């Protein structure tokens, strides 16, 4: 059962990928990009990497699960990873995924982000914290959901939210926390946290993202 604090926590996994694993992932991705010519229409668009990359990343998650579970004890599996490729001028504006259906299984607990390549300037990942009531709905978890009864749920303000919702989020008083993790480090952040990527000023930002679930996505539920 997921506790509310898990959806608001932040954790780092140093050594998530080894230098050799990172180099191999870059090689496979570069070959795939050359073959497909994929180019994102907007910075928030992602691409599903080839199976070989998925296997490396999923093995890294399994290896890191004991450390991940110290902060996210409900963690059990992940969804397929997405690849993002940002160039100068690109950014991912503040947004909040929230919880769509607390009775859905498996349930997203957090997100895992791994920077394959850092931009030379800019492109920092950030989390915005706030005590504002404006980020929260009146919904609370009830018995039978995947969450501890009484857990509150934040509003969903995604990339595709109406302009007025995104504008309202920009006006919420917030405190920004930016990260510059060491090479090979993954950042795990709760599903109910406002987050984004600051504008890339110079260079290229390449990152991989997945959802951390409270069960395997292939597990069957009665």
């Amino acid at each position: 059962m997921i506790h509310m604090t898990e959806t608001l926590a932040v954790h780092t996994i140093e050594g998530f990928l080894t230098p050799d694993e990172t180099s191999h992932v870059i090689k496979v991705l570069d070959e795939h990009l050359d073959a497909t010519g994929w180019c994102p229409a907007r910075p928030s668009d992602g691409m599903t990497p080839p199976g070989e990359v998925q296997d490396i990343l999923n093995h890294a998650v399994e290896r890191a699960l004991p450390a991940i579970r110290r902060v996210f004890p409900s963690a059990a599996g992940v969804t397929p990873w997405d690849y993002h490729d940002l160039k100068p001028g690109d950014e991912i504006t503040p947004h909040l995924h929230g919880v769509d259906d607390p009775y859905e299984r498996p349930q997203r607990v957090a997100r895992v982000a791994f920077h394959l390549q850092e931009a030379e300037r800019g492109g920092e990942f950030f989390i915005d914290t706030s005590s504002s009531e404006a980020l929260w709905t009146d919904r609370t978890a009830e018995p039978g959901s995947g969450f501890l009864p009484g857990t509150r749920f934040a509003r969903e303000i995604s990339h595709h939210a109406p302009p007025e919702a995104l504008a309202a989020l920009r006006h919420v008083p917030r405190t920004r926390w930016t990260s510059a993790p060491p090479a090979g480090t993954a950042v795990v952040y709760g599903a109910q946290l406002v987050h984004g990527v600051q504008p890339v000023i110079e260079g290229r930002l390449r990152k991989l993202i997945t959802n951390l679930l409270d069960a395997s996505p292939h597990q069957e539920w009665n």
Side-chain angles (χ1 to χ4, degrees), residues 126-163:
F126 66 80
I127 287 168
D128 288 346
T129 55
S130 174
S131 61
S132 174
E133 187 69 18
L135 294 178
W136 297 90
T137 68
D138 293 330
R139 294 188 303 151
T140 57
E142 298 178 359
S145 76
F147 295 83
L148 188 72
T151 295
R152 288 193 66 186
F153 297 116
R155 300 183 185 281
E156 181 180 353
I157 310 173
S158 71
H159 305 293
H160 309 297

Side-chain angles (χ1 to χ4, degrees), residues 145-212:
S145 76
F147 295 83
L148 188 72
T151 295
R152 288 193 66 186
F153 297 116
R155 300 183 185 281
E156 181 180 353
I157 310 173
S158 71
H159 305 293
H160 309 297
E164 58 270 20
L166 293 171
L169 177 59
R170 286 195 295 271
H171 288 93
V172 172
R174 289 166 287 147
T175 299
R176 178 155 297 181
W177 307 78
T178 59
S179 69
T185 300
V187 179
V188 191
Y189 53 99
Q192 298 202 102
L193 285 169
V194 177
H195 60 282
V197 176
Q198 298 197 133
V200 174
I201 299 172
E202 183 179 349
R204 182 183 184 189
L205 171 63
R206 310 176 71 181
K207 61 187 301 178
L208 294 143
I209 303 174
T210 188
N211 294 304
L212 187 64

Side-chain angles (χ1 to χ4, degrees), residues 69-157:
R69 285 177 174 152
R70 293 188 199 117
V71 178
F72 301 92
S74 299
V78 294
T79 57
W81 291 73
D82 282 334
Y83 169 73
H84 295 261
D85 202 325
L86 281 68
K87 61 184 183 302
D90 287 345
E91 65 178 311
I92 298 179
T93 56
H95 60 285
L96 173 59
H97 295 295
V99 175
D100 182 25
D101 180 0
Y103 292 92
E104 183 179 323
R105 303 301 298 273
Q107 187 65 239
R108 177 171 57 197
V109 181
R111 303 263 279 175
V112 184
F114 178 75
H115 281 201
L116 195 63
Q117 177 181 325
E118 297 286 355
E120 293 179 32
R121 284 199 299 147
E124 296 89 352
F125 173 73
F126 66 80
I127 287 168
D128 288 346
T129 55
S130 174
S131 61
S132 174
E133 187 69 18
L135 294 178
W136 297 90
T137 68
D138 293 330
R139 294 188 303 151
T140 57
E142 298 178 359
S145 76
F147 295 83
L148 188 72
T151 295
R152 288 193 66 186
F153 297 116
R155 300 183 185 281
E156 181 180 353
I157 310 173

